[in-house]
Amino acid sequence: MTDFTMTKDADGVATITWDVKSKSMNVMSTEAFAALSGLVDEALADASVKGIIITSGKKDFAGGMDLNVIAKMRAGGAQAIFDGVMQMHHVLRKIERAGMDPKTLKGAKPIVAALPGTALGIGLELPLACHRIIAADNPKAKIGLPEIMVGIFPGAGGTTRLSRKLGAMMAAPFLLEGKLSDPKSAKGAGLIDEVVAAEDLLKRAKEWVLSATEADLVKPWDAKGYKLPGGAPYSAPGFPTFVGASAMVHGKTMGVYPAARALLAAVYEGALVPFDTALRIEARHFTSVLMNPSSSAMIRSLFINKEALEKGANRPKVADQAVKKLGVIGAGMMGAGIAYVSANAGIEVVLIDSTQEAADRGKAHSSDLLDKGMKRGKVTAEKKAEVLGRITATTDYAALAGVDLVVEAVFEDPKVKADVTHKVEAATGADCIYATNTSTLPITGLAAASKRPDEFIGIHFFSPVDKMKLVEIIRGKKTGDVAVAKALDFVRQIRKTPIVVNDARFFYANRCIIPYINEGIRMVAEGVEPALVENAAKLVGMPLGPLQLVDETSIDLGVKIAKATKAAMGDDYPDEAVDHVLFWMADQGRLGKKANAGFYAYSDKGERLGLWEELEHKYPQDKMQPSLADVQHRLLFAQVLEAVRALEEGVLTDIREGDVGAILGWGFAPWSGGPFSWLDIIGAGRAVEICRGLSAQFGPRFHAPALLREMAEKGETFYGRFGGEKAAA
Ligand code: NAD
């Protein structure tokens, strides 16, 4: 069964319908592209065909290129990628020209794209090559070019066509930020040409085909005297756009994302030459981006493996466990957020706190978030009422009757948590799964308070709950498969990404973040300039430097964690030097952003002003500062070695979760694809060599774990050794 089929009607209009039968959303494959090309040839050669409609047999037009295909294209090498991309350009150019005589610009057959719904990536690049784009008025549809989000850029002419259609400035949000729009906004921005009622889509497309004039079929860039909207790069109005875009891209990406830079180069260089040469330039930059290990690592983690985890790659094979009614105990910052995302996903929620006032305050959080959504036009008054109607705020545990999952988010105190476990178990049925949102307390220990430890699990959300995409699910020693499936099905309902890890101090994410923060603080104690620490982190792609991060999460929380860790580890505790700084900061009342005072200074309104200058007096800076690379190695290895240890110890059982969890959980340099992908990029041998240098200079925390040393000796990669079929790409 081919993905494209063609019918011809009595009025001479051919309709090419895209419908990938094996998938709910159309995605483009190499074979499908060839089939489309064949049908276009046939229609153009058929004298009885006056024009062509390209549409979809599904509710949406297309989700984009099959990224698995892109991942495999790399295997063929640069020349094969370039040739493949040029072939795609050839087909889309054929559609754009549609039989036109290049000299007279006459004789083309009209080709219209009729989009019933979402059109992303190649799903918009193909329409951009057509003569007109008509979309159904479907406010849920998303139209745009999101490629930059997974480390590539629109490489099937989208970059060149959109920048020529809108001008570099207006195209920038769609190309550089992957901005998606609903059909009406897309029309407003000039991305598409027309929006019509869904039921009129094909009728209107046909009408247009039959009434199009010769002039409608000549793209501006094929017409004589074409000028780039907004001005060419060397013109007075165009020049500042490119300078500004270049500065913006560098400011946002810190130069670590090859795709953003290559995209900008393709637009700039393309704007200097004729259209067909611009397509070759786009293909050359696209090839270089696909050959860059960063892009394949990003595609693998942020698209292929993220989706695999969301679809339940590691879900035990038990019956569907979708949550019907949820209990949330503790209506503070986390509980309120969990109640909101759940009610928003259509789940009934009972939100309990120790006082009615606290429970109501928790529910008010949902109301505030929905109000914000209403202000942005994303939420209707009915939707707000519906979501709030699903949340019952109470102090009465009897309201838990009939819940099938409880998430506890009370104070981080084992005694308080044990008491809540007893109360919940007395009020719920034998099949109710009990989850704790603890961030530091081992699950197995907390499960000791439960009569049903096989139904006891950790579901660790990140703050703020409505924004953070990752949820870490923790299996205690006695946690059973049904509890794991329940947690995974719940996370799927609320449309977040899960990882499943085994129980250990700090689980996975916090285990890796804490050493990152600590390494930054340790450097301050050693006399490294705080600005060097922060900038080194950002220049390697971390969204926040370690000092800003601890300011955000709060310094008193850091003190609390340090004390608890020291109590648990005794003489083995390695972080005295860190505590020196941390405890002193806390003593100064500099508790972080919430106190408007931390490693950074803040204005009265809470705006971050700059690093706190007094720090320098307490911890004088060395005249000889380390190199940028040395600081970056310390910050990165503090995290990735912890990830390797988590794998070695069986806390992580799947490196895909290690990579996806790191990027979504704490923003580990997304360009790298995650800690394991990064180690694969630099190679285990080089990693061990760096560890040798770091441990000689800074101590045993940088010793290469045995696993890494063994892999270096054998010349192995993580994805080669642990990826197998499931993780390979
Ligand atoms: P919080 O102090 O904002 O909220 C805790 C809430 O629990 C309060 O409203 C309190 O009144 C309520 N509570 C206390 N004892 C109770 C009881 N016996 N019965 C009912 N309600 C009770 O705390 P938080 O930041 O929301 O953290 C809650 C849990 O989530 C903790 O275990 C914490 O470690 C964990 N966590 C926090 C974060 C974070 O960033 N804050 C992130 C992940 C996990």
Side-chain angles (χ1 to χ4, degrees):
M1 178 73 68
T2 144
D3 293 352
F4 286 94
T5 50
M6 184 162 71
T7 55
K8 283 173 238 170
D9 71 12
D11 299 313
V13 177
T15 302
I16 297 178
T17 305
W18 190 359
D19 196 348
V20 184
K21 294 287 181 216
S22 57
K23 294 198 154 76
S24 59
M25 173 73 97
N26 289 331
V27 287
M28 187 70 90
S29 64
T30 323
E31 299 74 29
F33 212 77
L36 169 68
S37 173
L39 293 178
V40 170
D41 284 338
E42 191 185 321
L44 291 178
D46 185 339
S48 71
V49 171
K50 294 191 185 117
I52 305 169
I53 300 171
I54 300 179
T55 190
S56 155
K58 300 193 188 293
K59 72 178 176 41
D60 291 309
F61 186 64
M65 200 72 188
D66 184 342
L67 286 181
N68 287 296
V69 173
I70 294 187
K72 282 184 191 121
M73 271 167 85
R74 263 190 97 228
Q79 188 64 49
I81 296 174
F82 182 79
D83 293 344
V85 174
M86 284 310 295
Q87 179 55 27
M88 235 162 20
H89 283 329
H90 172 72
V91 174
L92 292 176
R93 199 66 176 122
K94 178 171 69 189
I95 291 174
E96 190 159 54
R97 287 283 179 81
M100 174 193 289
D101 178 330
K103 286 210 177 83
T104 62
L105 303 183
K106 290 192 189 307
K109 289 187 183 183
I111 304 185
V112 57
L115 316 179
T118 289
L120 301 174
I122 185 77
L124 179 59
E125 291 182 291
L126 165 60
L128 281 171
C130 297
H131 302 120
R132 191 162 184 86
I133 309 174
I134 306 177
D137 185 8
N138 169 359
K140 285 204 175 137
K142 290 194 165 79
I143 296 180
L145 299 166
E147 284 87 341
I148 200 81
M149 309 304 286
V150 289
I152 54 176
F153 70 83
T159 296
T160 302
R161 285 197 176 84
L162 199 68
S163 56
R164 292 200 176 213
K165 189 172 165 130
L166 304 184
M169 174 95 102
M170 302 309 277
F174 303 105
L175 294 173
L176 283 169
E177 293 166 21
K179 180 180 168 185
L180 306 182
S181 313
D182 60 40
K184 279 204 173 122
S185 321
K187 155 102 177 56
L191 230 56
I192 62 171
D193 305 304
E194 203 175 326
V195 180
V196 298
E199 59 275 19
D200 295 335
L201 182 66
L202 291 182
K203 193 174 85 184
R204 173 64 194 135
K206 181 171 169 177
E207 203 176 276
W208 188 84
V209 163
L210 292 177
S211 63
T213 64
E214 294 274 11
D216 290 333
L217 312 183
V218 182
K219 286 294 177 68
W221 41 90
D222 282 329
K224 276 217 174 71
Y226 167 77
K227 286 205 171 65
L228 189 72
Y234 46 78
S235 71
F239 183 69
T241 302
F242 281 93
V243 173
S246 182
M248 187 197 88
V249 165
H250 212 80
K252 279 202 175 168
T253 65
M254 296 289 166
V256 288
Y257 292 88
R261 211 167 20 176
L263 178 133
L264 204 57
V267 173
Y268 182 90
E269 292 164 20
L272 300 172
V273 293
F275 188 78
D276 288 297
T277 314
L279 289 179
R280 284 185 77 80
I281 289 174
E282 186 191 293
R284 182 163 55 79
H285 283 298
F286 188 66
T287 304
S288 84
V289 165
L290 277 200
M291 289 305 292
N292 190 307
S294 160
S295 74
S296 56
M298 278 179 83
I299 291 175
R300 184 174 60 198
S301 291
L302 290 173
F303 183 80
I304 299 170
N305 291 342
K306 176 173 166 293
E307 194 176 276
L309 299 177
E310 285 163 359
K311 283 190 173 158
N314 292 328
R315 185 185 184 280
K317 305 239 169 316
V318 297
D320 178 41
Q321 296 294 320
V323 177
K324 290 174 202 77
K325 188 172 170 190
L326 173 77
V328 178
I329 320 295
M333 187 165 95
M334 298 304 289
I338 296 165
Y340 167 72
V341 295
S342 307
N344 207 24
I347 302 171
E348 289 293 319
V349 181
V350 176
L351 178 60
I352 294 185
D353 206 296
S354 31
T355 65
Q356 186 62 42
E357 200 192 345
D360 289 340
R361 215 181 308 126
K363 182 171 172 176
H365 176 67
S366 289
S367 183
D368 292 347
L369 290 176
L370 290 160
D371 283 344
K372 277 190 193 153
M374 280 174 75
K375 271 195 194 131
R376 281 187 282 123
K378 300 275 180 214
V379 176
T380 60
E382 297 78 59
K383 162 97 179 172
K384 179 183 167 186
E386 220 175 83
V387 174
L388 291 179
R390 288 193 198 109
I391 304 175
T392 307
T394 178
T395 57
D396 184 6
Y397 279 68
L400 292 176
V403 299
D404 49 325
L405 174 69
V406 165
V407 179
E408 165 275 304
V410 300
F411 299 140
E412 190 76 337
D413 177 334
K415 282 203 201 87
V416 179
K417 288 194 188 288
D419 181 46
V420 168
T421 306
H422 298 147
K423 282 188 187 153
V424 168
E425 289 189 351
T428 54
D431 291 341
C432 176
I433 302 296
Y434 185 101
T436 171
N437 180 48
T438 177
S439 39
T440 56
L441 302 166
I443 303 302
T444 309
L446 293 177
S450 170
K451 285 199 202 109
R452 311 190 293 259
D454 58 320
E455 293 181 351
F456 195 105
I457 193 164
I459 302 186
H460 179 213
F461 283 85
F462 294 78
S463 173
V465 178
D466 59 304
K467 296 231 168 65
M468 297 296 286
K469 290 280 170 225
L470 187 74
V471 178
E472 191 173 22
I473 295 170
I474 305 113
R475 257 180 193 273
K477 279 220 169 66
K478 294 187 178 164
T479 303
D481 280 354
V482 174
V484 175
K486 186 98 195 167
L488 282 166
D489 291 356
F490 172 52
V491 172
R492 189 173 181 174
Q493 280 172 286
I494 56 173
R495 292 184 286 275
K496 294 200 183 280
T497 308
I499 61 170
V500 183
V501 303
N502 286 316
D503 199 13
R505 175 164 282 275
F506 301 134
F507 321 130
Y508 173 59
N510 284 345
R511 171 186 186 141
C512 300
I513 306 169
I514 294 169
Y516 168 65
I517 292 176
N518 284 354
E519 201 59 32
I521 297 177
R522 199 188 305 265
M523 284 193 247
V524 171
E526 287 168 14
V528 177
E529 284 191 31
L532 175 55
V533 174
E534 294 292 89
N535 287 330
K538 288 197 188 153
L539 284 168
V540 83
M542 295 299 294
L544 302 184
L547 306 178
Q548 188 184 343
L549 186 56
V550 70
D551 264 12
E552 301 272 338
T553 54
S554 98
I555 286 170
D556 46 332
L557 178 67
V559 168
K560 226 166 139 186
I561 291 175
K563 283 184 178 159
T565 312
K566 192 170 176 177
M569 292 183 76
D571 291 345
D572 293 337
Y573 183 67
D575 291 324
E576 296 289 352
V578 177
D579 293 354
H580 194 269
V581 183
L582 203 60
F583 289 19
W584 178 76
M585 290 288 286
D587 286 347
Q588 306 297 306
R590 300 195 71 86
L591 301 183
K593 187 164 187 247
K594 66 176 181 189
N596 262 0
F599 284 99
Y600 282 82
Y602 298 83
S603 73
D604 293 345
K605 288 188 191 141
E607 294 153 321
R608 206 160 41 84
L609 299 175
L611 284 152
W612 180 45
E613 287 176 3
E614 288 302 308
L615 206 54
E616 202 180 316
H617 297 132
K618 177 74 180 171
Y619 298 100
Q621 293 164 12
D622 272 356
K623 280 219 175 72
M624 283 292 290
Q625 289 290 312
S627 72
L628 182 70
D630 281 352
V631 176
Q632 288 175 330
H633 280 157
R634 287 180 70 173
L635 293 174
L636 285 178
F637 275 86
Q639 301 170 72
V640 300
L641 293 183
E642 227 27 81
V644 174
R645 287 180 200 118
L647 179 68
E648 226 174 14
E649 292 164 17
V651 173
L652 274 179
T653 57
D654 183 338
I655 54 170
R656 295 178 300 177
E657 294 181 310
D659 273 351
V660 174
I663 297 176
L664 300 189
W666 75 93
F668 182 88
W671 64 266
S672 70
F676 296 103
S677 290
W678 183 65
L679 286 169
D680 280 356
I681 289 173
I682 64 169
R686 172 81 181 119
V688 168
E689 201 182 300
I690 297 172
C691 286
R692 216 172 278 135
L694 289 175
S695 57
Q697 215 180 339
F698 303 109
R701 66 185 179 283
F702 287 114
H703 278 163
L707 171 63
L708 193 62
R709 280 185 275 121
E710 187 194 317
M711 287 174 55
E713 269 163 33
K714 293 184 180 165
E716 289 176 331
T717 62
F718 281 96
Y719 277 86
R721 176 166 169 155
F722 297 102
E725 266 297 293
K726 59 179 189 179

